[in-house]
Amino acid sequence: MLSEEPRRRRWWVHPIVSQRLQKGQFHTLYFDLRHNPEKFQGYCRMSVATFDILLASLRSGLTFQDTTMRRSISPEERLLLTLRFLATGNSFASLHYEYLLGISTISGIVCHTCQLIWQRLREAVMPTPTADDWLQIADGFYQSSQFPNCIGALDGKHIRVKKPPHSGSQYFNYKQYFSIVLLALVDSNYRFIIVDIGAYGSTADARIFCSSRMGERLRANQLALPEPRRLPGSSASATPFVIVADEGFALSPHVMRAFPRRNLDDRKRIFNYRLSRARRYVECAFGILSNKWRVFMSSLQMSPQNATLVIQACVILHNFTRIHDVPSEPEVAPFPTTTSVGLDHNPQGRPGSAGLAVRELFADYFISPEGALSWQLNSIRGTRR
């Protein structure tokens, strides 16, 4: 069999692409944007000052050597291109016509920059919490949602992806599309504390949590959690610090979920209401993440490995901008219900007695004079004005 001759390239550089320095969007727009802060914010989803801080952190990893054949792409252009992709979700083909760079070049820049963001900034904006950090998080939840001893709100978000070849139904979730899962623990400032990224969309959140490093360390008591302490104003026994989650997660001494929705009395309804007030922060964080980085508004047209890099970068940028850019308006999200979003409601069987006992402590506290809220009874009965 005769081997085919390799196809000869028509151009070394396409005539349109060769005009990048004169007509490319970076070279025609970047400096004008810097002189218009509001437009820059809309274009990059961050302020000029925050962009400069981010660029300074990444510059050495985004700087490449010029050669006799061509000039390297500047760190500013690489970062701006990546942020524009994350902020809009435009295809690489669309960005090719805007920035006048090759499609494969754009793909390489985006993946490399996303990986660099995760590697360079993860320890700075999402460090491993210490006992003091957990106490500060718990104080934040108590002040904002009046749920004491809460160290985070836990949930999973399905990120839509293109079906990977030869993957069968591994990535096909109960919402009837292909996805990978972002499992996140969030504080009361809508910042991500711990994340697990890349699990198959067909896997229930609870099973992802159980097999994740976060779940394993929690069960092994290796998360540096503070010692149990009494609930504010209470004389009852010390209560452990807990994570609030929905009905898709198993109840345990450190993970609280709502009472089942059958035969609920006022005491149990109040507990579910108070739990929901704390749990809303993870739902709101996911909403803020998707609204700012609109690459999540459509399916990621890339491999799961590259999609994981994109999600990692967006999580880091979410925390980074919340640290350096003060929101211009208070973020108000719809108040969630306690309806479960999972199919596997209790993958580990019946909850243990220790988890039940902790939940009873909280339920008793929320109806006591020390822990009750003046409006909670009216709220669960639907009479709150």
Side-chain angles (χ1 to χ4, degrees):
M1 182 177 178
L2 298 176
S3 60
E4 295 182 1
E5 294 184 5
R7 191 179 68 174
R8 300 185 64 177
R9 300 179 63 170
R10 295 176 63 188
W11 299 287
W12 174 248
V13 178
H14 194 281
I16 293 179
V17 176
S18 67
Q19 302 178 68
R20 178 174 68 89
L21 298 180
Q22 293 78 37
K23 298 183 179 180
Q25 193 169 104
F26 172 80
H27 297 277
T28 59
L29 195 60
Y30 174 66
F31 294 102
D32 290 336
L33 285 174
R34 290 188 66 91
H35 289 94
N36 293 272
E38 290 184 3
K39 296 295 185 182
F40 191 96
Q41 178 88 32
Y43 191 90
C44 295
R45 299 296 194 267
M46 62 181 63
S47 67
V48 177
T50 301
F51 177 87
D52 290 340
I53 296 171
L54 178 62
L55 180 62
S57 301
L58 304 178
R59 181 178 290 278
S60 62
L62 296 177
T63 302
F64 293 83
Q65 186 176 2
D66 293 336
T67 68
T68 56
M69 299 293 293
R70 64 185 68 183
R71 290 171 54 186
S72 64
I73 301 170
S74 68
E76 290 85 355
E77 186 169 2
R78 289 172 176 271
L79 182 56
L80 194 76
L81 170 64
T82 302
L83 293 178
R84 190 58 181 165
F85 168 72
L86 300 179
T88 63
N90 287 350
S91 67
F92 293 154
S94 176
L95 293 171
H96 158 68
Y97 291 105
E98 295 173 7
Y99 282 81
L100 301 184
L101 290 166
I103 294 177
S104 60
T105 302
I106 291 173
S107 175
I109 288 173
V110 168
C111 292
H112 173 259
T113 307
C114 286
Q115 185 176 32
L116 194 66
I117 289 171
W118 175 260
Q119 293 173 346
R120 292 284 180 91
L121 299 177
R122 179 165 56 99
E123 289 299 324
V125 303
M126 199 171 61
T128 302
T130 63
D132 290 338
D133 294 330
W134 291 124
L135 288 173
Q136 291 181 5
I137 292 169
D139 290 342
F141 270 102
Y142 184 61
Q143 293 173 8
S144 60
S145 65
Q146 294 76 52
F147 198 109
N149 285 24
C150 176
I151 56 170
L154 177 69
D155 204 358
K157 177 177 175 61
H158 287 271
I159 307 297
R160 192 186 295 262
V161 297
K162 179 180 69 174
K163 181 185 182 299
H166 315 297
S167 62
S169 61
Q170 284 181 321
Y171 292 89
F172 196 69
N173 63 37
Y174 72 96
K175 297 182 179 181
Q176 307 300 304
Y177 59 82
F178 297 93
S179 67
I180 59 178
V181 179
L182 163 61
L183 185 74
L185 186 68
V186 173
D187 67 14
S188 61
N189 293 316
Y190 309 105
R191 296 179 192 168
F192 295 105
I193 307 169
I194 303 174
V195 295
D196 183 272
I197 303 170
Y200 296 137
S202 61
T203 309
D205 291 347
R207 294 190 177 181
I208 297 172
F209 177 66
C210 289
S211 60
S212 68
R213 188 182 177 197
M214 171 173 44
E216 292 174 351
R217 294 183 65 191
L218 181 64
R219 289 193 301 274
N221 197 26
Q222 295 177 350
L223 281 182
L225 297 183
E227 291 296 320
R229 68 180 181 186
R230 288 193 176 116
L231 300 178
S234 173
S235 59
S237 58
T239 306
F241 287 83
V242 298
I243 293 168
V244 294
D246 64 20
E247 295 171 357
F249 293 87
L251 183 69
S252 73
H254 291 293
V255 179
M256 291 291 101
R257 51 176 278 181
F259 284 102
R261 295 187 298 274
R262 299 183 304 274
N263 303 320
L264 291 177
D265 55 20
D266 283 350
R267 173 176 168 275
K268 292 180 179 179
R269 289 181 185 275
I270 288 172
F271 173 85
N272 288 0
Y273 168 70
R274 299 287 290 271
L275 182 88
S276 181
R277 295 185 79 248
R279 195 178 64 80
R280 63 180 171 172
Y281 286 94
V282 65
E283 303 285 358
C284 293
F286 287 148
I288 295 168
L289 177 75
S290 298
N291 192 53
K292 180 181 284 286
W293 307 110
R294 301 202 170 191
V295 68
F296 298 129
M297 293 295 188
S298 59
S299 176
L300 296 179
Q301 300 298 306
M302 55 184 64
S303 68
Q305 293 75 24
N306 288 341
T308 297
L309 295 177
V310 167
I311 299 168
Q312 287 176 338
C314 288
V315 165
I316 294 302
L317 291 172
H318 172 92
N319 281 11
F320 188 83
T321 54
R322 292 200 68 80
I323 292 170
H324 294 282
D325 284 339
V326 179
S328 57
E329 297 179 357
E331 289 146 336
V332 179
F335 193 87
T337 65
T338 55
T339 302
S340 171
V341 296
L343 290 181
D344 193 350
H345 287 277
N346 197 0
Q348 294 181 327
R350 294 182 178 275
S353 58
L356 291 170
V358 173
R359 185 167 65 181
E360 293 296 326
L361 284 174
F362 278 102
D364 290 337
Y365 175 75
F366 290 148
I367 61 171
S368 69
E370 296 80 15
L373 300 177
S374 60
W375 66 84
Q376 63 186 20
L377 199 56
N378 290 336
S379 181
I380 66 168
R381 293 177 178 175
T383 58
R384 184 182 178 186
R385 298 295 180 185

